[in-house]
Amino acid sequence: APHQLSIYRNEHQDFDTAGAQTGEAPKPYDLTIEPFAPPASTTWADALLETAEGHLFLLAPVGVDEGWTVADKVRFVEHGRHIARSFGLAGGVAVLSGGRLGDIGRHPAVDRTMADAELVARLTGAEHVEILIEEAARRYGVVIAPDGISGNLIFRTLTFL
């Protein structure tokens, strides 16, 4: 269902929701915002990375438009296992989320990443390792990021900084 968002604007200042500076009543502009639902991925971007200790692992997704659904992440787990075997990487797949289990309830977006990671882990036999990327990179041959933006940020941080 679409979400309704009202943005208030007056002649003297944008986003003045109270009319406090001008004394004028704000004029509402109603916009309908459709829920964010990115298209299913058609490409599969993985990155082979190495820790400072020399442990190789495959990180996916790393394309910003990838990994937004549970189905996408399940495919990345399956695809990652195949690639990991061909490179002789450590067994096992770690699924990352946006927090630790103790963080449930702190924010709906964090809760969603944890629910998705838990479901992906159950569907594929992988392990939900919460937000603990340091553990995942040391112990597993495949690490699945919460989504492609997170994966891309992890990749860029480890590769370019």
Side-chain angles (χ1 to χ4, degrees), residues 98-124:
R100 295 178 186 227
L101 294 177
D103 295 328
I104 291 174
R106 291 180 64 184
H107 194 279
V110 175
D111 294 354
R112 169 64 21 213
T113 67
M114 287 192 279
D116 285 357
E118 197 61 35
L119 181 56
V120 170
R122 289 180 186 185
L123 291 171
T124 63

Side-chain angles (χ1 to χ4, degrees), residues 3 14 24 27 32 36 87 93 105-106 136 142 147 155:
H3 299 284
D14 290 351
E24 297 175 10
K27 300 171 186 171
T32 300
F36 180 64
F87 279 105
V93 176
R106 291 180 64 184
V142 178
D147 55 62
F155 163 75

Side-chain angles (χ1 to χ4, degrees), residues 5-161:
L5 172 67
S6 293
I7 297 176
Y8 291 91
R9 178 182 179 144
N10 67 35
E11 295 173 9
H12 302 284
Q13 183 176 1
D14 290 351
F15 308 108
D16 180 3
T17 59
Q21 292 187 0
T22 64
E24 297 175 10
K27 300 171 186 171
Y29 293 84
D30 289 327
L31 303 174
T32 300
I33 307 299
E34 294 296 325
F36 180 64
S41 297
T42 56
T43 61
W44 302 100
D46 305 292
L48 183 60
L49 300 171
E50 185 174 13
T51 67
E53 295 85 28
H55 178 79
L56 292 172
F57 69 98
L58 189 69
L59 174 67
V62 294
V64 296
D65 60 340
E66 302 171 342
W68 289 98
T69 67
V70 168
D72 276 355
K73 287 185 264 283
V74 166
R75 285 189 288 268
F76 271 108
V77 169
E78 295 166 353
H79 180 70
R81 280 186 173 130
H82 174 74
I83 292 174
R85 275 192 297 273
S86 68
F87 279 105
L89 301 180
V93 176
V95 182
L96 295 170
S97 64
R100 295 178 186 227
L101 294 177
D103 295 328
I104 291 174
R106 291 180 64 184
H107 194 279
V110 175
D111 294 354
R112 169 64 21 213
T113 67
M114 287 192 279
D116 285 357
E118 197 61 35
L119 181 56
V120 170
R122 289 180 186 185
L123 291 171
T124 63
E127 185 174 343
H128 173 208
V129 296
E130 304 170 347
I131 200 168
L132 304 175
I133 188 170
E134 64 280 11
E135 177 185 325
R138 281 193 299 264
R139 293 184 44 207
Y140 298 88
V142 178
V143 177
I144 304 298
D147 55 62
I149 292 173
S150 300
N152 194 282
L153 288 167
I154 293 165
F155 163 75
R156 290 177 174 282
T157 301
L158 295 176
T159 304
F160 298 123
L161 293 182

